[in-house]
Amino acid sequence: GAVVSQHPSWVICKSGTSVKIECRSLDFQATTMFWYRQFPKQSLMLMATSNEGSKATYEQGVEKDKFLINHASLTLSTLTVTSAHPEDSSFYICSARPWTGGSQNTQYFGPGTRLTVL
Amino acid sequence: GQQLNQSPQSMFIQEGEDVSMNCTSSSIFNTWLWYKQDPGEGPVLLIALYKAGELTSNGRLTAQFGITRKDSFLNISASIPSDVGIYFCAGFSSGSARQLTFGSGTQLTVLP
């Protein structure tokens, strides 16, 4: 099956620092990748849609200057949490959608990154 | 944003029992996906459904795409301890084919 990796799997940082999270599709190309945030015992909340070669599309209420997204290739998207604060502590999950010519849409998720900001 | 109505919210069952959960929507969906999420992990795709009426199995799991295209269910037969986790339904609606809509999840606990 399609595999999506994330790195790091967990990170602890000091308040005010920036953290970069990588999302890679290992065995398929993904023109579109997605970044989600998940709070305990809740469903996934879409933060932004990352399109290869163009600017990301952010959901309402998500600060684009705080959560920088770069989709530099068909297999890699990065999320940088800039000037992180304790309230940014969360579980961040990426997903990737294989290009299927428009039919049989699906999405595969990475294993997630646990961010803790002290 | 839009969210699917998923029920039940949680289930406690005995090992060996069958489980059923479902998702409904007020709008039409073109694709239904069922995921399982273990603690501290990302969701793992279990079953994908693409046609109204489609019934698909994956081992002890069976899922169906409702005829009205507004609902889907997932059944787990003969549950085992490793079935514990959160199950999410998700789908692509006809009005938003690029963005996945999620259900609120069903927390499954299997008692030995």
Side-chain angles (χ1 to χ4, degrees):
Chain A
V3 179
V4 177
S5 70
Q6 267 182 256
H7 178 80
S9 55
W10 59 269
V11 57
I12 301 173
C13 70
K14 291 183 178 180
S15 187
T17 60
S18 295
V19 175
K20 180 187 283 188
I21 303 171
E22 292 187 348
C23 177
R24 293 180 186 273
S25 55
L26 297 185
D27 50 2
F28 65 95
Q29 292 185 331
T31 54
T32 307
M33 289 184 170
F34 304 86
W35 287 96
Y36 294 83
R37 186 171 178 177
Q38 187 178 33
F39 293 103
K41 298 188 184 300
Q42 293 189 23
S43 189
L44 284 72
M45 181 184 75
L46 180 65
M47 297 175 65
T49 301
S50 170
N51 299 297
E52 188 268 335
S54 64
K55 290 183 179 180
T57 304
Y58 290 82
E59 296 301 300
Q60 193 171 14
V62 179
E63 298 177 59
K64 63 180 181 180
D65 294 330
K66 180 166 186 63
F67 299 99
L68 301 178
I69 291 173
N70 185 284
H71 194 153
S73 76
L74 288 173
T75 60
L76 173 64
S77 175
T78 61
L79 168 69
T80 301
V81 183
T82 62
S83 186
H85 290 282
E87 58 265 30
D88 298 324
S89 299
S90 191
F91 193 50
Y92 292 87
I93 309 174
C94 73
S95 71
R97 185 166 68 201
W99 171 245
T100 60
S103 65
Q104 302 208 339
N105 255 335
T106 192
Q107 273 179 229
Y108 297 96
F109 287 83
T113 297
R114 171 71 59 191
L115 170 64
T116 301
V117 185
L118 302 177
Chain B
Q2 180 185 18
Q3 195 171 49
L4 298 169
N5 299 311
Q6 185 173 349
S7 65
Q9 191 173 21
S10 64
M11 301 181 72
F12 291 81
I13 62 169
Q14 294 290 138
E15 184 177 354
E17 289 184 349
D18 297 341
V19 173
S20 184
M21 58 192 80
N22 69 84
C23 266
T24 60
S25 170
S26 58
S27 56
I28 290 174
F29 274 65
N30 294 324
T31 300
W32 286 95
L33 307 171
W34 285 92
Y35 293 90
K36 182 192 177 198
Q37 186 177 27
D38 291 327
E41 300 287 333
V44 174
L45 182 65
L46 300 174
I47 293 178
L49 303 161
Y50 300 108
K51 289 167 53 177
E54 181 180 355
L55 183 70
T56 298
S57 293
N58 177 6
R60 294 178 295 105
L61 278 62
T62 303
Q64 183 158 29
F65 192 140
I67 286 291
T68 64
R69 297 170 65 192
K70 293 183 178 182
D71 63 332
S72 177
F73 71 74
L74 174 72
N75 286 342
I76 305 173
S77 63
S79 59
I80 59 178
S82 61
D83 290 334
V84 166
I86 302 177
Y87 292 80
F88 289 102
C89 64
F92 292 102
S93 70
S94 59
S96 180
R98 295 179 61 83
Q99 188 173 114
L100 196 58
T101 301
F102 276 90
S104 53
T106 296
Q107 172 72 62
L108 178 64
T109 302
V110 180
L111 304 171

